[in-house]
Amino acid sequence: MTETDYRITSGSSDRLGAHPINGGVNFAVFSANAERIEICLFSPDGQRELQRLTLPDRLGDIWNGFIPSLPEGALYGLRTYGPFAPEQGHRFNPAKLLLDPYARRLSGRLIHDDALLGYVSNAAQADLSVDERDSAPFMPKCVVTPDQPPLPRGRRTPRDRVILYEAHPKGMTAANPAVAQTQQGKFSGLASDAVISHLQRLGITTLELLPVQAHADEAFLLRQSLSNYWGYNTMAFFAPEADYTAKGDPAEFRDMVARLHNAGIEVVIDVVYNHTAEGNELGPTLSFRGLDNASYYRLMPDNPRFYINDTGTGNTLNCTHPMVIRMVLDSLRYWVEIMGVDGFRFDLATVLGREPGGFAREGRFLTALRQDPVLANIRLIAEPWDVGPGGYQLGAFPPPFLEWNDRFRDTARGFWRGDGNIAQLAERMTGSAPIFDHSGRAPQASINFVTAHDGFTLADLTAYDRKHNEANHEGNRDGHNDNLSDNMGHEGPTGDDAINQARARRRRNMLATLMLSQGTPMLLGGDEIANSQDGNNNAYCQDNRIGWIGWENADDALASFTARLTALRHAHPVLHQRRFLHSSDLPDGKRDLVWHLPDGAEPTDADWQNPTLRTLGLELRMASDMPGRDAWRDEVAFIVVNGSEDPARMQLPDPEGRVWMRVLDTDAPFAQDRHESGPSAQVAANSIAVFMPEGDPA
């Protein structure tokens, strides 16, 4: 951009943000309480402010202007004028350069400095003071970005066939020697041949990425040479995180999505619309606080100087305000239509449904989202809790939301550790119907997982009794203390073969529980190769080999077993049914769900309440929708879970003239399918076995 003196004229309020049009750029910015808004233009290196132009027009609460001849690629920021009255919820300060909430690309990095604060940090009641230092030298700049054509949508995976793989956009490839060095830790690395081949081997249909939107590191982490590695600290909802690109170009994300789509893999991104990187009243002024604090954030009704903190991060986005709803929906549509994503996982999603009286499944934002013609039919996944009053809302989200089911996680971990009885596991393996079977929801509403980014990896779950978060520099006080983990006799790595074999079996059992359960399974990236974080169960700040997947120590045998599990699930619809199972009659008079004790009898109420019951068989059937087929014969499976310390002799159901085949056994993970010659089968201690009649279609 040349150092031209630009002029500004009235523009259009139709589209928020900066959009090249008619030989110039149209700017539109929302603020209900500002008195004046300026567009600040910068030199190409972002170091010098060249000109300030006041937006001359206002339609309602949208300020707008048009700058003729301003080129694509121009760098800019915003400054706002208005009352600085924290007791009334207003924190305008024109000394602070602000990011455009609709910026689609950022240039430069956020440099932490006290000049980012809107107040004098060492003043008494600091946040009531005004800091007049210019923050521009420490702020990234917005880039005028040309509009891109919509990215063609990928092929949608049927809901019952989805297998999610949660991964960090950098950590997935940062230490992967099979990925070119220039692509390691980048979006392009996620779309490399090596990663695509690995995901296809595992039978993954949907890659779920931790936050990819531009985020900020907290100052206290930088002072300790750490960073907000996970990225749950968003400062720009439309811009991809530049660190995951080679040249800062958003097209790199689009290219990644297109390549994954060509490989038949969907992309879901984790989004954080519950809070922003500005924190509480003592946080920096980066964008929303300076543009219109009272509109963008939920403030304490009796003292708007302070923020409602239902997120535990200092502030809570006001998702009941019409213009905040519009911004979030515009952002979601941008990521779907222009960037090509197939869905979203909403962090602390209860916030999105909060109304003045608490969580409401028919609240303003959730209702607007569900009726949106672009967004209503994509994958919507809720983390169904926040830290505010009544924040735990598992099962309460409306269709078509899927929900992270932490009860599945805890039940599976506890059962294989030896806690609880098998009745709880039975409920989880059949889709957690008491939680989700309402409002026309399907079993897929339950996102089943044993591990996720937040907590122990699968390998660490079987190697550590206690968290080891010393590297986070918080005195090991952070992270969960109750992990339902088990070191199997030794804390951490060991050379004891017996312990290592027991750990390997435990991992296989938990993976088998995950993939053989009704619902939508989610695998944590790296668990399939026994990736360890050295016992750190809160690696949010570890942008290093603790947080990255350690491919150099990959357990390929476990990866092969995982691939075998997913192949079995994909091949047999009876293992991923589209409706809940309630021991209902099928067309042939058989029931879709029958539980078996080892002697073949069905459990009584007393059996279900028996805490010592650790062995159970699950007979699954489904009616085929293929005309002319003997439906139940085509779709039947018998799953035996033996959580006891002793082998079990399990009576097999009547195969009606056919022979049962043992098609999976966690005690013999690579054994070939074999016939069962008698009416019963031996199942090893602490193992799962799967039987199917010979001749079932693959």
Side-chain angles (χ1 to χ4, degrees):
M1 185 178 75
T2 60
E3 297 187 17
T4 305
D5 282 334
Y6 292 96
R7 61 185 180 87
I8 191 166
T9 64
S10 295
S12 169
S13 61
D14 292 349
R15 298 177 67 196
L16 290 159
H19 296 277
I21 186 173
N22 297 330
V25 179
N26 190 85
F27 291 87
V29 181
F30 159 73
S31 180
N33 294 292
E35 297 169 355
R36 188 167 101 226
I37 299 179
E38 292 176 337
I39 304 296
C40 301
L41 302 178
F42 286 84
S43 59
D45 61 4
Q47 298 301 306
R48 291 178 296 119
E49 184 175 327
L50 304 178
Q51 194 174 356
R52 298 187 187 186
L53 297 162
T54 299
L55 291 175
D57 200 6
R58 178 177 182 176
L59 181 62
D61 294 331
I62 300 178
W63 304 71
N64 61 80
F66 177 75
I67 304 179
S69 302
L70 187 68
E72 297 175 0
L75 304 188
Y76 73 100
L78 307 174
R79 296 185 191 271
T80 57
Y81 296 77
F84 186 88
E87 297 92 340
Q88 300 172 35
H90 303 309
R91 294 181 179 273
F92 293 98
N93 186 338
K96 308 306 166 185
L97 188 74
L98 308 175
L99 296 176
D100 179 355
Y102 279 71
R104 290 169 287 170
R105 181 174 180 175
L106 302 182
S107 176
R109 301 183 62 85
L110 182 72
I111 302 171
H112 277 278
D113 188 273
D114 275 0
L116 296 174
L117 305 176
Y119 60 89
V120 179
S121 61
N122 59 1
Q125 298 191 77
D127 71 294
L128 299 181
S129 64
V130 179
D131 184 282
E132 297 181 349
R133 287 174 292 177
D134 185 4
S135 67
F138 310 100
M139 285 288 294
K141 309 304 185 292
C142 306
V143 182
V144 174
T145 305
D147 295 335
Q148 296 293 320
L151 193 68
R153 297 295 302 274
R155 184 182 63 210
R156 184 176 175 86
T157 302
R159 71 168 191 259
D160 59 309
R161 294 184 61 84
V162 171
I163 297 179
L164 293 161
Y165 184 94
E166 190 196 33
H168 189 281
K170 179 178 181 179
M172 177 72 177
T173 63
N176 189 337
V179 175
Q181 191 170 7
T182 56
Q183 295 181 323
Q184 290 177 348
K186 307 298 182 184
F187 291 134
S188 58
L190 290 170
S192 64
D193 290 343
V195 170
I196 287 176
S197 176
H198 182 71
L199 295 176
Q200 290 176 328
R201 174 194 181 192
L202 294 177
I204 300 302
T205 69
T206 308
L207 178 62
E208 181 179 314
L209 296 174
L210 269 65
V212 301
Q213 294 165 328
H215 66 271
D217 296 315
E218 293 88 341
F220 80 91
L221 289 174
L222 295 176
R223 287 194 292 268
Q224 300 179 80
S225 299
L226 299 172
S227 66
N228 191 317
Y229 167 60
W230 284 350
Y232 290 92
N233 203 36
T234 312
M235 62 179 180
F237 291 117
F238 289 74
E241 172 56 48
D243 279 355
Y244 304 151
T245 67
K247 298 180 179 179
D249 189 347
E252 296 179 46
F253 183 90
R254 282 168 51 97
D255 293 343
M256 174 200 73
V257 172
R259 197 159 195 275
L260 288 166
H261 281 174
N262 288 338
I265 299 170
E266 300 176 328
V267 178
V268 168
I269 61 172
D270 204 331
V271 287
V272 189
Y273 294 109
N274 57 77
H275 75 279
T276 78
E278 292 183 307
N280 63 14
E281 68 277 1
L282 298 179
T285 296
L286 307 175
S287 180
F288 311 97
R289 192 197 312 279
L291 281 169
D292 195 345
N293 187 64
S295 294
Y296 277 107
Y297 293 118
R298 295 178 61 218
L299 306 178
M300 298 296 291
D302 57 343
N303 190 352
R305 171 186 172 188
F306 300 108
Y307 296 79
I308 292 173
N309 187 19
D310 289 331
T311 63
T313 61
N315 66 53
T316 305
L317 210 60
N318 183 10
C319 289
T320 62
H321 191 289
M323 292 304 293
V324 178
I325 293 175
R326 176 176 172 178
M327 178 192 70
V328 175
L329 293 179
D330 284 348
S331 171
L332 293 171
R333 281 190 293 269
Y334 176 77
W335 285 96
V336 170
E337 294 184 307
I338 306 303
M339 305 301 272
V341 305
D342 302 283
F344 303 94
R345 181 263 190 190
F346 293 91
D347 181 64
L348 300 183
T350 300
V351 165
L352 305 179
R354 282 195 177 274
E355 296 288 321
F359 177 81
R361 70 196 305 266
E362 304 297 336
R364 279 167 274 191
F365 175 81
L366 294 179
T367 298
L369 176 65
R370 293 169 64 209
Q371 63 78 44
D372 188 278
V374 172
L375 304 173
N377 295 313
I378 62 170
R379 303 211 185 282
L380 302 175
I381 300 171
E383 182 184 37
W385 50 78
D386 65 23
V387 301
Y392 188 75
Q393 293 292 333
L394 179 67
F397 280 77
F401 272 96
L402 314 182
E403 301 177 41
W404 273 30
N405 186 354
D406 61 326
R407 293 188 191 174
F408 183 99
R409 174 198 65 197
D410 294 347
T411 299
R413 290 183 179 191
F415 178 80
W416 289 112
R417 193 177 71 165
D419 302 339
N421 69 3
I422 206 167
Q424 296 168 320
L425 187 69
E427 185 176 286
R428 301 291 165 252
M429 291 189 69
T430 50
S432 297
I435 299 172
F436 295 104
D437 190 8
H438 60 83
S439 309
R441 304 184 81 178
Q444 288 73 40
S446 174
I447 299 284
N448 300 330
F449 65 103
V450 176
T451 56
H453 69 273
D454 186 3
F456 277 142
T457 66
L458 181 62
D460 290 351
L461 192 66
T462 60
Y464 295 93
D465 278 353
R466 306 178 304 279
K467 65 185 182 185
H468 295 269
N469 297 355
E470 290 80 7
N472 297 354
H473 299 168
E474 297 183 43
N476 205 32
R477 295 184 299 273
D478 64 304
H480 296 292
N481 292 314
D482 184 13
N483 298 283
L484 295 170
S485 61
D486 183 4
N487 68 18
M488 316 288 281
H490 180 86
E491 189 75 355
T494 178
D496 188 309
D497 287 343
I499 291 177
N500 285 329
Q501 290 174 14
R503 289 175 176 176
R505 182 196 295 251
R506 179 76 56 86
R507 293 166 194 160
R508 293 194 297 269
N509 285 336
M510 286 196 278
L511 288 172
T513 302
L514 176 66
M515 293 300 171
L516 296 172
S517 294
Q518 303 295 314
T520 304
M522 184 183 79
L523 178 68
L524 173 64
D527 274 358
E528 74 281 9
I529 60 169
N531 178 60
S532 173
Q533 293 179 168
D534 300 335
N536 191 318
N537 75 349
N538 189 33
Y540 79 103
C541 56
Q542 299 297 329
D543 187 5
N544 50 47
R545 291 187 177 272
I546 294 176
W548 303 342
I549 295 178
W551 296 96
E552 69 281 1
N553 298 315
D555 184 341
D556 193 64
L558 185 59
S560 295
F561 176 74
T562 305
R564 185 173 184 183
L565 270 174
T566 58
L568 184 69
R569 182 181 177 91
H570 280 310
H572 297 282
V574 71
L575 300 176
H576 52 88
Q577 300 194 43
R578 296 172 66 90
R579 62 183 184 87
F580 284 100
L581 308 175
H582 292 297
S583 294
S584 304
D585 287 344
L586 297 173
D588 64 352
K590 302 289 184 178
R591 285 180 291 164
D592 58 10
L593 171 65
V594 183
W595 296 99
H596 296 260
L597 296 172
D599 63 3
E602 294 188 41
T604 64
D605 288 344
D607 291 322
W608 284 118
Q609 296 171 15
N610 180 3
T612 65
L613 179 62
R614 305 283 297 169
T615 306
L616 205 59
L618 166 58
E619 183 183 353
L620 293 171
R621 296 171 181 263
M622 68 179 292
S624 171
D625 56 6
M626 292 181 285
R629 299 286 296 274
D630 188 349
W632 84 262
R633 279 181 176 272
D634 285 342
E635 305 293 343
V636 59
F638 189 54
I639 303 169
V640 179
V641 176
N642 183 15
S644 73
E645 297 297 324
D646 300 308
R649 172 61 63 174
M650 175 62 70
Q651 188 75 24
L652 297 172
D654 180 7
E656 299 193 2
R658 287 191 290 174
V659 176
W660 284 106
M661 300 285 294
R662 188 185 301 242
V663 298
L664 187 92
D665 191 335
T666 60
D667 181 59
F670 302 110
Q672 297 296 313
D673 295 357
R674 72 172 189 265
H675 294 87
E676 295 296 333
S677 57
S680 64
Q682 185 87 347
V683 178
N686 291 309
S687 68
I688 296 179
V690 181
F691 304 87
M692 290 186 171
E694 185 178 29
D696 266 9

